[in-house]
Amino acid sequence: MAQFDAVQSSFEGKYFYNLWRPETAIRLGATDGNDDTDGDAGWSILSAARNTPPTPTYPSTHAEAAGAVAEMLKLCFKRDNVPFTIGCYALPGVERSFESFSQFASECSISRIYIGYHFRNDVVQGEMMGRELARFVFSNNLRPL
């Protein structure tokens, strides 16, 4: 529930704020009305990445969903420091281990900056929004009978 709500919420935010992705902002920096900003027409995202998603940047959907999942699991397990290992469907046999749900959310969020899809504020705010949303869902939708 929380993850679905986080994805839906992030898209509502994206089209409300309608902010440039880094690729657009950096390439067209000289045209943003700020004399202190220079553009770099040759800048691009990490070469191994898929094309930049065709949606506005803020908030990061991945960060919001990861924050929601991490917070929901933390609330369900009544603690954050639960070690776990997950695999990757795109890279069979590749696994990543985490010491906590928060570590997972943080690494998922920061990866969006490293790849070139988002600015730091997009992921910081997205993860925070996801956590807040999970607390709401947990308190209002997952009550004991």
Side-chain angles (χ1 to χ4, degrees), residues 4 7 10 27 42 45 60 64-65 67 81 85 99 101 105 121 125 129 142:
F4 177 84
V7 171
S10 76
R27 288 181 179 180
I45 62 171
S60 166
E64 191 166 342
N81 59 337
T85 300
E99 296 300 316
F101 303 127
N121 190 56
Q125 296 299 315
M129 292 162 66
L142 299 177

Side-chain angles (χ1 to χ4, degrees), residues 10 12 17 19 23 26 34 55 58 64 68 77-78 80-81 89 92 106 111 122 126:
S10 76
E12 289 178 16
Y17 294 104
L19 298 176
E23 188 168 31
I26 293 168
N34 181 346
T55 58
Y58 178 86
E64 191 166 342
F77 282 89
K78 296 183 173 56
D80 184 38
N81 59 337
Y89 70 87
S106 178
S111 75
D122 304 337

Side-chain angles (χ1 to χ4, degrees), residues 7-47:
V7 171
Q8 185 173 10
S9 166
S10 76
F11 274 85
E12 289 178 16
K14 286 178 183 302
Y15 289 100
F16 179 81
Y17 294 104
N18 200 30
L19 298 176
W20 283 357
R21 291 256 184 192
E23 188 168 31
T24 305
I26 293 168
R27 288 181 179 180
L28 300 178
T31 67
D32 67 358
N34 181 346
D35 292 336
D36 294 328
T37 306
D38 294 325
D40 181 353
W43 190 89
S44 64
I45 62 171
L46 187 65
S47 62

Side-chain angles (χ1 to χ4, degrees), residues 73-92:
L73 290 170
K74 176 182 159 186
L75 292 167
C76 288
F77 282 89
K78 296 183 173 56
R79 63 189 185 120
D80 184 38
N81 59 337
V82 175
F84 65 99
T85 300
I86 57 175
C88 176
Y89 70 87
L91 300 169

